[in-house]
Amino acid sequence: MSNTQNLFNKVWDLHAVKTLESGQDQLLIGLHLIHEVTSPQAFEMLRDRGLKVLFPERTIATVDHIVPTENQARPFEDNLAEQMMSAIEKNCAEFGVTLLDVSDDRQGIVHVVGPEQGLTQPGMTIVCGDSHTSTHGAFGSIALGIGTSQVAHVLATQTMALGRPKVRQVKVNGELGPGVTAKDVTLYIIRKLGVQGGVGYAYEYAGDVFDRMTMEERMTVCNMSIEGGARCGYINPDQTTVDYLRGRPHAPQGEAFEKAAEWWLSLASGPDAEFDDLVEFNAADIEPTVTWGITPAQSVGVSESLPAVSSYPADEQTLIKEAYRYMELEENQPIKGQKIDVAFIGSCTNSRISDLREAAKVVEGRHVAEHVKALVVPGSQLVRKQAIEEGLDKIFIEAGFEWREAGCSMCLAMNPDKLVGNQLCASSSNRNFKGRQGSPTGRTLLMSPTMVAAAAVSGCVTDVRELSGAATA
């Protein structure tokens, strides 16, 4: 491997089987994660062609999207959800794929479970039929969301055809201010570069801000890469990565782990690594961030007012006007103080134990506003168990939150957790598209878990730094 190669190109070349006539590369896929929504049709494609899963040991299934987080008694009340659950149970049994279902204490959101179990490791190629597979790039892997037909192809061949994207290094240096989280960093990057800014690129996140982040914070950042248009995002493995993976069930053990760790660290982009583009941001410019529109790029710092339509290029103003109409907001109004109806802490972006710990600090000793429905949905059964052991469930319940079972929940509302009418939800999830949270007129404000917690107890968008007593300067 050349000293001028960045991690992305190193890992790509290590997994390239051959270059196809189309100009795409055929890549070997190291880990295939599947769930109940995008896999039924893929398994049917295999049956129709008389194919088997080539390497079932490289495929892991869990259930998350349609799983109820309140009443999990079978059969599920939603008939379609029950059909999907039955299908993945049948398919995994027939094709020899390990399934983490609701009776397994390892079950949870696919992008929480993979890292938690040590399945996700540096230097791997990882795919899943889900947009936010980029989460796993936090470990220094190439992690891609794929479609249903590609799921079938990977099941049958353990490879897929891909065009190599360019690589952009996104650097953030400096000190983050009080109350500013990984979620704020990634929302800020998307705001600055736009939802199409990353098209054709993989993002390498670099700089001392990411160096100081925990693995769970890095996962939040990489999770949102797709929302900025990037094909994937990653962070170079370092000692933080190694320490996180040590002792995980599927990570190497003993001497094998030490050898693996040495190789993982060797993959990192070196000081002479070359990139197709570079953008840099100053951490001091980032404050707690809230989306106000219908794309993740439509956001402001909590102290800001909403932008004037005229501040956008002429070809973007139609979308901005549409966003204001849909969200029932007005240009130049402050986002702080905007009344909310629902508060949701969860999703593959922000449902890990550190997210719940920080949110609990905000709500402890306070109570959810009378008009707000608030719920906390852990990202996995193991996260839920750990939170209970730490007494976090009691803090949330005493504060008036609903404490739920593990699942995707209100992030995409393919389950009973949905907005009603034009309710406005403060959400720690990743998408604020029209109707995303289950109601065709429902409205979403994306923010960090601590900002959601602050909004829940205040009844409106609130600067978490004021609740926690931190200076806003």
Side-chain angles (χ1 to χ4, degrees), residues 170-284:
V170 181
K171 278 189 174 181
V172 184
N173 286 307
E175 295 285 341
L176 294 175
V180 179
T181 70
K183 182 66 161 289
D184 301 307
V185 173
T186 192
L187 285 174
Y188 181 85
I189 291 169
I190 295 168
R191 175 186 178 184
K192 292 298 183 181
L193 299 181
V195 292
Q196 299 295 322
V199 172
Y201 285 97
Y203 280 179
E204 173 175 301
Y205 298 102
D208 51 29
V209 165
F210 302 114
D211 292 343
R212 289 192 296 266
M213 283 185 177
T214 66
M215 288 309 301
E216 297 195 347
E217 290 172 322
R218 294 176 184 182
M219 283 185 253
T220 293
V221 172
C222 291
N223 174 275
M224 297 283 288
S225 301
I226 189 70
E227 306 307 332
R231 190 65 180 90
C232 62
Y234 69 90
I235 294 173
N236 287 302
D238 58 11
Q239 193 59 45
T240 300
T241 319
V242 172
D243 292 344
Y244 178 93
L245 285 168
R246 191 182 301 275
R248 302 264 168 192
H250 288 271
Q253 303 297 320
E255 185 178 344
F257 182 87
E258 302 307 325
K259 290 182 178 179
E262 183 178 358
W263 183 72
W264 293 339
L265 295 175
S266 75
L267 294 171
S269 302
D272 298 323
E274 296 175 352
F275 298 90
D276 299 288
D277 191 33
L278 168 67
V279 293
E280 298 186 70
F281 299 107
N282 186 345

Side-chain angles (χ1 to χ4, degrees), residues 29-35 43 53-62 92 95-99 119 151 154-156 158:
I29 302 303
L31 174 64
H32 189 191
L33 301 167
I34 63 175
H35 58 82
F43 280 111
V53 175
L54 186 60
F55 292 111
E57 69 275 14
R58 290 187 176 273
T59 304
I60 297 289
T62 189
C92 288
F95 287 90
V97 172
T98 298
L99 171 63
L119 292 160
V151 171
V154 175
L155 287 172
Q158 206 60 40

